Amino acid sequence: TRIRPSSKRCAVIGGSGFLGRHLVEKLLGKGYTVSVFDIRQSYELPGVTFHQGDLCDKQALLTALQGVSLVFHCASPAPASDDKALFQRVNIQGTQTVLQACTEAGVQKVVLTSSASVVFEGTDIKDGREDLPYAKKPIDYYTETKIEQEKLVLKACDKEKGLLTVAIRPHGIFGPRDPQLVPILVDTARRGKMKFIIGDGSNLVDFTFVDNVVHGHILAAESLRPESPICGKAYHITNDEPVRF
Ligand code: NAD
């Protein structure tokens, strides 16, 4: 038996992660029923159903997506890894599997967490817009597969079939429980490796507070309707001002 998807029932793939958990908490506060799908369970929260599984496993996904109308896909291997095969398996094949499972389960909307690095060629970008082309020479395997992942998700947007998609492209994310950015900076500084400046000290880098990233995801989800111009598009997301480094 198939449960009819409810508009307030959503799933967060990668919901045990840094961004995913913030998203889950905000969604609960907004009255959504939330299922988390992740290879690990990192917390417990009343009102959240956890499904432990690999997103490359369609059957496991189908169980978690029963009755779900909205899916946030924010799972990825850690960007610092150089395991090319893992990135390809999870970000490319895995995303194809997620999209197939969404179609089979009758999911109506998919919001992908992409990355601003998909347009980064190694040279400065200021006020970069979404019409910038994808990087021809992505900086690492992570980015190479984030590009393919984003293309797959946006291409899957099909009003006739009833699946709408959108991608959000944050750059660095900071905030409570951040496992990477600030801890790595602090650790590097402690080891005495932050005593030099690259450039003349006026370089800018873009970081977004995690709640703003969450807000952007939820706005995208709630605006995603067949007549909406955001269907099948990617959006950069940031705070007001970039952080001066
Ligand atoms: P995170 O590592 O904290 O969370 C990722 C989650 O994905 C983890 O809980 C992990 O267990 C899960 N996961 C990994 N492989 C999986 C698999 N095969 N099946 C199921 N779950 C799996 O990372 P994050 O910082 O929360 O990043 C979330 C998303 O945001 C990612 O897509 C990342 O590319 C994107 N992003 C992050 C940043 C940042 O600064 N943190 C910047 C730009 C984009």
Side-chain angles (χ1 to χ4, degrees):
T1 53
R2 200 163 119 176
I3 305 171
R4 215 172 137 256
S6 142
S7 64
K8 277 280 184 181
R9 191 179 287 268
C10 64
V12 181
I13 303 175
S16 289
F18 166 49
L19 173 63
R21 181 173 171 184
H22 281 280
L23 193 51
V24 168
E25 289 170 350
K26 181 59 100 185
L27 287 164
L28 286 175
K30 287 178 74 73
Y32 284 86
T33 305
V34 186
S35 293
V36 166
F37 185 92
D38 202 296
I39 33 171
R40 63 187 176 117
Q41 178 173 354
S42 63
Y43 59 96
E44 277 179 38
L45 211 54
V48 179
T49 314
F50 279 90
H51 296 267
Q52 206 166 335
D54 189 320
L55 61 83
C56 300
D57 177 351
K58 194 170 81 178
Q59 282 312 318
L61 279 168
L62 283 173
T63 308
L65 297 182
Q66 281 279 310
V68 165
S69 69
L70 165 62
V71 166
F72 294 92
H73 178 4
C74 57
S76 170
S81 158
D82 62 356
D83 188 340
K84 185 177 184 179
L86 177 69
F87 283 124
Q88 284 181 333
R89 191 180 71 82
V90 177
N91 286 352
I92 304 179
Q93 279 101 279
T95 297
Q96 267 162 342
T97 308
V98 167
L99 291 166
Q100 278 162 13
C102 285
T103 306
E104 286 179 33
V107 169
Q108 289 148 9
K109 303 178 185 187
V110 175
V111 180
L112 171 72
T113 315
S114 182
S115 165
S117 64
V118 300
V119 295
F120 183 61
E121 291 273 16
T123 49
D124 292 353
I125 298 177
K126 206 174 166 198
D127 301 329
R129 297 192 343 181
E130 289 80 0
D131 53 6
L132 282 168
Y134 286 114
K136 284 191 201 67
K137 286 188 194 137
I139 48 167
D140 50 22
Y141 297 136
Y142 165 76
T143 308
E144 194 176 307
T145 58
K146 289 297 280 185
I147 293 176
E148 290 313 310
Q149 175 188 53
E150 189 188 280
K151 287 183 182 167
L152 283 169
V153 170
L154 299 184
K155 211 173 64 190
C157 188
D158 188 332
K159 292 173 198 175
E160 307 300 309
K161 283 195 192 149
L163 183 67
L164 304 178
T165 65
V166 65
I168 300 295
R169 294 175 178 172
H171 188 240
I173 307 173
F174 68 94
R177 303 190 299 257
D178 151 36
Q180 292 175 49
L181 183 69
V182 173
I184 290 171
L185 280 180
V186 170
D187 182 58
T188 313
R190 283 217 174 101
R191 286 187 288 117
K193 295 195 169 173
M194 294 259 279
K195 292 180 179 155
F196 57 89
I197 292 176
I198 299 170
D200 62 6
S202 63
N203 291 344
L204 297 175
V205 66
D206 190 61
F207 292 117
T208 307
F209 183 54
V210 66
D211 282 0
N212 290 336
V213 180
V214 165
H215 182 58
H217 279 67
I218 296 177
L219 280 182
E222 293 184 343
S223 317
L224 199 54
R225 288 188 209 94
E227 67 282 5
S228 158
I230 75 167
C231 290
K233 297 219 179 98
Y235 290 90
H236 294 156
I237 184 166
T238 186
N239 297 313
D240 259 4
E241 291 287 330
V243 177
R244 190 162 288 280
F245 240 53

